Amino acid sequence: MKMSLLVKYLAGDESVCEAVFADFVAFERTWSRSVQRFETEVRLTDLAWLAWNVETRNRKTNLKFDPDWTLTVETVELNEKTSETPLEMTQPTG
């Protein structure tokens, strides 16, 4: 399980955050919500928290999530360019 998030900061810089299994476990533990609900109900706070957790885990920030870190962020969005997608099956050519 992996999710790529693009964080755009108010200062103009950007960060690609790769949320991995440990981040999803931390999300469920913190918010008492299953990540399985992302398919039907994803909240802006969910994406922001995941991005913050990745940035914290990677030691790119030591700010508290809310309000400190969120006050530095312009937006958090799915980074579809690098998000994990199922591999397409191709027919063998030989």
Side-chain angles (χ1 to χ4, degrees), residues 6-65:
L6 176 63
V7 181
K8 295 181 181 179
Y9 290 97
L10 292 171
D13 50 331
E14 296 182 352
S15 178
V16 175
C17 301
E18 296 291 335
V20 297
F21 183 76
D23 300 304
F24 294 111
V25 169
F27 174 89
E28 289 187 342
R29 186 179 312 118
T30 301
W31 297 101
S32 298
R33 290 183 51 231
S34 172
V35 294
Q36 296 301 320
R37 293 179 62 185
F38 279 4
E39 292 180 13
T40 58
E41 179 188 339
V42 65
R43 300 175 183 174
L44 184 60
T45 304
D46 300 343
L47 296 178
W49 191 91
L50 278 172
W52 169 82
N53 196 69
V54 172
E55 295 282 81
T56 301
R57 178 174 49 80
N58 290 328
R59 294 180 173 85
K60 291 184 178 180
T61 187
N62 60 358
L63 297 174
K64 292 181 184 178
F65 173 63

